[in-house]
Amino acid sequence: MPTTQKRGDGYRITVSCGYDLTGKQIRRTTTWKPEPGMTARQIEKELARQAVLFEEKCKTGQVLGGNVKLADFAERWFEDYGKTRLRPTTYRRYRSLLPRVNAAIGHIRLDRLQPHHLIALYKNLQESGIRTDVKYRPAQDVQAIMRARSLTQDKLAKMAGVAITVVRAACHGKNVAEQSARKLSTALELPALFEPVDQGKTLSTESVRYHHRMISSILSTAVKWQVIPSNPCERVDLPKAERKEAHYLDEEQAGRLLEALDREADIQYRTAVQVLLYTGLRRGELCGLEWQDVDFDQAVLHVCRSSIYLPGRGVFTDETKTQTSVRSIKVSTDVLTLLRAFRAWQNQHRLQLGDQWHECGRLFTTWDGQPIHPDTLSGWFHDFIQRNDLPPITLHGLRHTNATLLIAAGTNLQTVAKRLGHANTTTTSKIYAHAIQSADAAAADTLQDILHPVRKQA
């Protein structure tokens, strides 16, 4: 039986929900305030109704304890919702953000979390020193140290307990994660082997907005589960999103890249990069391609899955980024010729390896036929760009190049969006605003070229 008590201009409703393991009574409380102008009789009737409703919610589990903190609910959300509803990459990214959120507002009860708490958090996230992902670069010549000690990359990787790709990066003077830098320094007994890079760098606006999306998703579920009446994230103005231009190659630069690829001896990397440029696929989509997805007769490529890597899980097959990313796209004769030549080479290579070959059906694989690590492809491409003195661009930049060249050539936006796997043309138009503006200017010049002679004749 619920009890009510007058408190200030409102009433506190208390419901008993049994006893805990220590024998202590469990109570749930809520506060109700009468509307201005209500009579004493109306207040009495409505208070009784609110008490009954609150008691029913408590009995059906719709009300958690009033002292449930954000950190505790977030953990429950990850277990009951995140594990089954989020993509693995999103789940991991959200998990990595949670400690920073918990440190700032995790102690606050859900029913007391207000917009000003979130505003303070987002402001704090934009301050210097907040980053926990500071990279470290070699302060000494790692390769020279290894030669002096007769160490191979594989041996050092095993000594330090890191991936061989980390050792390779350090040998080339590239940045590595703090934990990896610490392990390599310990293994080589050189405390000053690495130095921090951009230690005072702040989080980007997009990172702050990503924190907001995670918190909002958690609180939206709390509303759906009737733990709180509304989501305070909906009443917060976020920092304005930074508009970043997509990095891409122009027609002349793309031609130079293709010429440089023709000089490369490794047919797998040569083929992979050209397929990305001609199709605009995402890296994970390319790594997930299987030979059964290539229709040589109809000149169609079926994009059905993605291949990604996560620490602790390795390389695995996942769904595409969105439902619209599952698509079939036409490919040119040049692409089909590339793929036929590459398939012939792979078949011959498989026969040479015999029992060492692990058949997985993928186009692009490790030397023994297993799914290729996406970062392996990215690493090769980075070295290829530098080796050939090409404009700095990532593998994803080839996707931007593909879309930009298509738009510049007059391909309509809907077709480009469909080939890229975008849900709608709005996404495409935002990313490739630069190309659309250039195409619009070219269209104006074309129209002038058509109409000017006509006008002159008249």
Side-chain angles (χ1 to χ4, degrees), residues 288-303:
L289 282 178
E290 298 181 359
W291 285 112
Q292 64 180 356
D293 303 325
V294 184
D295 188 335
F296 286 98
D297 295 330
Q298 301 297 322
V300 171
L301 205 60
H302 301 287
V303 183

Side-chain angles (χ1 to χ4, degrees), residues 16-314:
S16 175
C17 298
Y19 298 85
D20 61 18
L21 295 177
T22 64
K24 184 179 179 181
Q25 191 175 25
I26 301 172
R27 291 187 177 91
R28 300 285 183 258
T29 62
T30 189
T31 300
W32 175 77
K33 292 182 179 181
E35 294 290 334
M38 292 181 72
T39 65
R41 178 61 178 164
Q42 288 174 329
I43 291 174
E44 182 182 357
K45 288 183 64 177
E46 183 60 23
L47 179 60
R49 192 178 77 86
Q50 291 292 334
V52 171
L53 289 175
F54 183 64
E55 182 181 35
E56 184 62 25
K57 285 184 177 181
C58 291
K59 288 180 178 179
T60 56
Q62 296 179 34
V63 177
L64 295 180
N67 60 349
V68 174
K69 297 177 176 61
L70 174 62
D72 297 327
F73 184 82
E75 194 61 40
R76 175 176 172 181
W77 181 84
F78 273 104
E79 290 298 315
D80 296 349
Y81 180 93
K83 279 187 175 180
T84 56
R85 302 292 294 276
L86 298 178
R87 294 192 68 211
T89 48
T90 304
Y91 180 86
R92 180 173 178 269
R93 177 78 187 276
Y94 279 0
R95 271 290 189 187
S96 70
L97 303 181
L98 190 59
R100 192 180 283 142
V101 173
N102 282 344
I105 59 175
H107 63 285
I108 300 175
R109 282 170 40 168
L110 280 182
D111 59 349
R112 293 181 180 175
L113 187 62
Q114 297 295 321
H116 68 84
H117 295 123
L118 300 171
I119 293 169
L121 168 64
Y122 301 154
K123 184 178 180 180
N124 176 252
L125 291 177
Q126 293 176 293
E127 295 176 354
S128 177
I130 197 68
R131 296 183 70 105
T132 58
D133 59 344
V134 176
K135 296 294 184 181
Y136 283 72
R137 65 187 169 204
Q140 303 176 43
D141 190 335
V142 177
Q143 278 188 314
I145 295 171
M146 290 172 59
R147 283 195 297 269
R149 302 186 185 186
S150 301
L151 290 174
T152 63
Q153 291 184 357
D154 185 57
K155 187 173 181 179
L156 178 56
K158 291 178 180 177
M159 285 173 54
V162 299
I164 192 170
T165 52
V166 174
V167 177
R168 190 176 297 127
C171 288
H172 287 82
K174 298 176 183 176
N175 298 339
V176 300
E178 181 181 5
Q179 186 177 12
S180 298
R182 190 183 302 114
K183 288 181 178 180
L184 287 170
S185 297
T186 302
L188 295 172
E189 299 180 345
L190 295 170
L193 182 59
F194 291 89
E195 59 185 8
V197 180
D198 294 331
Q199 196 165 16
K201 190 176 180 181
T202 61
L203 289 177
S204 67
T205 300
E206 182 55 35
S207 292
V208 176
R209 295 172 69 89
Y210 205 91
H211 280 76
H212 173 81
R213 285 197 290 270
M214 179 195 72
I215 298 170
S216 184
S217 185
I218 292 173
L219 296 180
S220 292
T221 305
V223 173
K224 188 179 295 185
W225 292 353
Q226 296 183 302
V227 178
I228 52 177
S230 64
N231 182 353
C233 286
E234 296 174 354
R235 305 190 295 278
V236 174
D237 292 327
L238 286 174
K240 189 175 181 180
E242 300 171 353
R243 177 168 290 184
K244 293 183 178 180
E245 291 290 344
H247 294 287
Y248 63 95
L249 302 176
D250 59 27
E251 189 174 349
E252 185 271 332
Q253 292 168 334
R256 284 172 51 200
L257 180 139
L258 290 173
E259 289 176 359
L261 283 172
D262 288 339
R263 298 191 293 269
E264 292 294 323
D266 195 306
I267 187 173
Q268 172 161 261
Y269 292 126
R270 192 170 70 234
T271 304
V273 172
Q274 290 185 79
V275 170
L276 283 174
L277 181 61
Y278 278 106
T279 63
L281 295 183
R282 299 178 179 91
R283 184 184 69 168
E285 294 171 345
L286 177 87
C287 294
L289 282 178
E290 298 181 359
W291 285 112
Q292 64 180 356
D293 303 325
V294 184
D295 188 335
F296 286 98
D297 295 330
Q298 301 297 322
V300 171
L301 205 60
H302 301 287
V303 183
C304 308
R305 70 196 68 79
S306 185
S307 185
I308 57 179
Y309 167 83
L310 285 179
R313 186 171 177 180

Side-chain angles (χ1 to χ4, degrees), residues 304-360:
C304 308
R305 70 196 68 79
S306 185
S307 185
I308 57 179
Y309 167 83
L310 285 179
R313 186 171 177 180
V315 178
F316 64 97
T317 301
D318 191 24
E319 298 175 347
T320 54
K321 187 174 181 179
T322 61
Q323 288 184 340
T324 52
S325 295
V326 178
R327 61 200 187 278
S328 298
I329 58 175
K330 278 281 188 179
V331 292
S332 66
T333 303
D334 286 348
V335 173
L336 293 177
T337 301
L338 282 170
L339 292 176
R340 285 193 178 97
F342 176 59
R343 184 173 61 171
W345 173 87
Q346 191 182 80
N347 287 337
Q348 184 179 5
H349 180 67
R350 182 173 63 243
L351 290 174
Q352 291 174 346
L353 286 183
D355 293 342
Q356 288 182 291
W357 180 265
H358 301 273
E359 184 59 58
C360 68

